[in-house]
Amino acid sequence: MSGTSLDGVDACAVRFNPQPELIADSHLPMPAELGAGLRWLATGEGPAPDDPIELLGRCRRDLADLYADAIALLPAAVRAEAVCVGAHGQTIRHRPEQGFSLQILDGARLAQHAGLPVVCDLRSADIALGGQGAPLVPAFHLAAFGTLPGRSAVVNIGGIANVSIIDAEAETVLAGFDTGPGNRLLDDWIEQTLGRPYDRDGQWSRGGCADPGLLASLLADPYFALPAPKSTGREQFHRAWLTAAIAAQERPITAVDVQATLVELTAGSIAAAIGEFAVNRVIVCGGGALNRALMDALAAGVAPLPCMRSDQAGGIAPLAVEAMAFAWLAWRRWHGLTGTLAHATGASRAAILGALHLPAPH
């Protein structure tokens, strides 16, 4: 999995009996040149390439090689046991209202380099059935955390944040949707202001105070009031969106106060989405779970509900959950089982997800 944050690639080896069990994991940082290319394709930020089509082709190729390198870091015995690879690819455009969501990856190249069948292009089948192709993780959240009693809100905070409301007794997902910005705006702002890739532990944001006017302006975006099913991405929440909101304020706002406001935006929009449901606990995964300031703000927003990281709730490291979800989707595809929840994506019915690439025989 490589997500909207563009910070790197996470690989997981998962065994299903049939419950998912994490066997091994690895991580590789995103190479600067590849990250810059993917960012330009997704947002248009940075120097424009001489030939966008050639850039697209190189990024598809290089991302497949990076995925293969991450898989190669897993223990040899684990790789020898593997049946197939589930690979998300990199989202460069998410336009379900126009009937497409584009994740780039050379799946055939990855199959050759990994020596394993590859399941990728995991959103298209759902979109073909009228769905948004997102979020794809709610059914896996039920598989991973459905043994906890009562109802749980499982929150994934990547570049964009999403929530799954799971009911253990009914063995079902009541709802699953994107809540809005996750880490991406936080990372964008500190990179733009201080040249850092992210705000470690939220230390910088703790030095500021959320600006009420800016926060209200950001939360006035129509997306937050939309009913589920809904999904979003960089197309909706991007640097220009933030910059325009800052410029519209009547007085200057310090850079650190903007960062503190973005923490409250992410935490507050998640808390408001969870507040629509009666749940017993909040479980957080994704990179945002490692931001202490963000976790504190979310805990305050959902109090008195207990708010915990995924490793505290189900023994799964926060950065492993999403990669495990795509292993689960590949496992479902391999066995001819559906991977989506139609009521979460808005599709007419559940779909078997993913295109299958086979390595050439020796």
Side-chain angles (χ1 to χ4, degrees):
M1 175 68 190
S2 56
T4 314
S5 296
L6 288 174
D7 56 349
V9 172
D10 297 304
C12 290
V14 187
R15 182 180 290 121
F16 300 94
N17 285 316
Q19 291 300 111
E21 177 190 358
L22 179 63
I23 304 301
D25 63 334
S26 67
H27 174 83
L28 281 176
M30 181 68 68
E33 184 177 356
L34 176 57
L38 292 170
R39 173 173 290 182
W40 188 89
L41 290 169
T43 68
E45 297 170 3
D50 294 333
D51 188 329
I53 302 301
E54 288 212 4
L55 175 63
L56 176 67
R58 290 196 303 270
C59 286
R60 288 182 74 247
R61 176 200 67 197
D62 294 348
L63 190 64
D65 291 349
L66 185 63
Y67 278 19
D69 289 344
I71 292 169
L73 290 177
L74 299 171
V78 170
R79 287 185 277 117
E81 187 184 346
V83 172
C84 66
V85 174
H88 176 263
Q90 188 67 43
T91 301
I92 61 169
R93 199 60 49 88
H94 182 63
R95 293 292 191 195
E97 73 281 1
Q98 297 182 29
F100 73 90
S101 183
L102 183 58
Q103 289 74 44
I104 62 169
L105 176 69
D106 189 335
R109 184 181 181 93
L110 177 57
Q112 298 309 319
H113 286 6
L116 289 164
V118 169
V119 177
C120 59
D121 189 20
L122 288 149
R123 301 187 189 272
S124 294
D126 182 78
I127 291 176
L129 291 170
Q132 299 203 14
L136 294 182
V137 293
F140 172 74
H141 287 161
L142 177 63
F145 303 104
T147 58
L148 297 173
R151 293 180 177 179
S152 301
V154 182
V155 182
N156 176 67
I157 308 178
I160 296 295
N162 57 68
V163 63
S164 304
I165 308 297
I166 62 177
D167 187 319
E169 275 71 29
E171 298 183 348
T172 192
V173 176
L174 301 178
F177 54 92
D178 289 348
T179 60
N183 301 317
R184 186 63 262 167
L185 289 175
L186 287 161
D187 294 347
D188 281 348
W189 184 250
I190 194 170
E191 181 183 53
Q192 176 180 325
T193 307
L194 301 181
R196 302 177 192 167
Y198 62 95
D199 185 8
R200 185 181 294 276
D201 288 335
Q203 291 177 353
W204 186 46
S205 66
R206 288 188 188 277
C209 295
D211 183 273
L214 177 59
L215 182 60
S217 175
L218 296 173
L219 286 172
D221 189 281
Y223 180 81
F224 297 111
L226 288 177
K230 60 180 181 177
S231 60
T232 189
R234 282 178 174 269
E235 299 78 14
Q236 180 76 24
F237 299 109
H238 47 73
R239 292 190 189 196
W241 177 81
L242 173 62
T243 301
I246 295 171
Q249 301 307 301
E250 296 181 353
R251 59 181 181 80
I253 305 172
T254 65
V256 69
D257 284 352
V258 171
Q259 188 77 354
T261 304
L262 292 175
V263 168
E264 291 299 326
L265 172 67
T266 294
S269 55
I270 293 171
I274 292 172
E276 299 178 15
F277 303 90
V279 299
N280 301 96
R281 68 191 62 81
V282 177
I283 302 168
V284 185
C285 57
L290 307 183
N291 183 322
R292 296 180 189 177
L294 182 54
M295 285 293 290
D296 288 348
L298 181 56
V302 301
L305 290 174
C307 181
M308 65 199 78
R309 297 184 351 174
S310 57
D311 50 352
Q312 298 167 324
I316 303 175
L319 295 181
V321 174
E322 199 165 21
M324 286 184 69
F326 286 93
W328 184 83
L329 288 169
W331 177 76
R332 301 282 295 184
R333 168 66 175 81
W334 190 257
H335 291 284
L337 303 172
T338 59
T340 54
L341 297 174
H343 65 279
T345 65
S348 59
R349 61 186 185 276
I352 298 173
L353 301 180
L356 180 63
H357 294 273
L358 300 176
H362 291 289

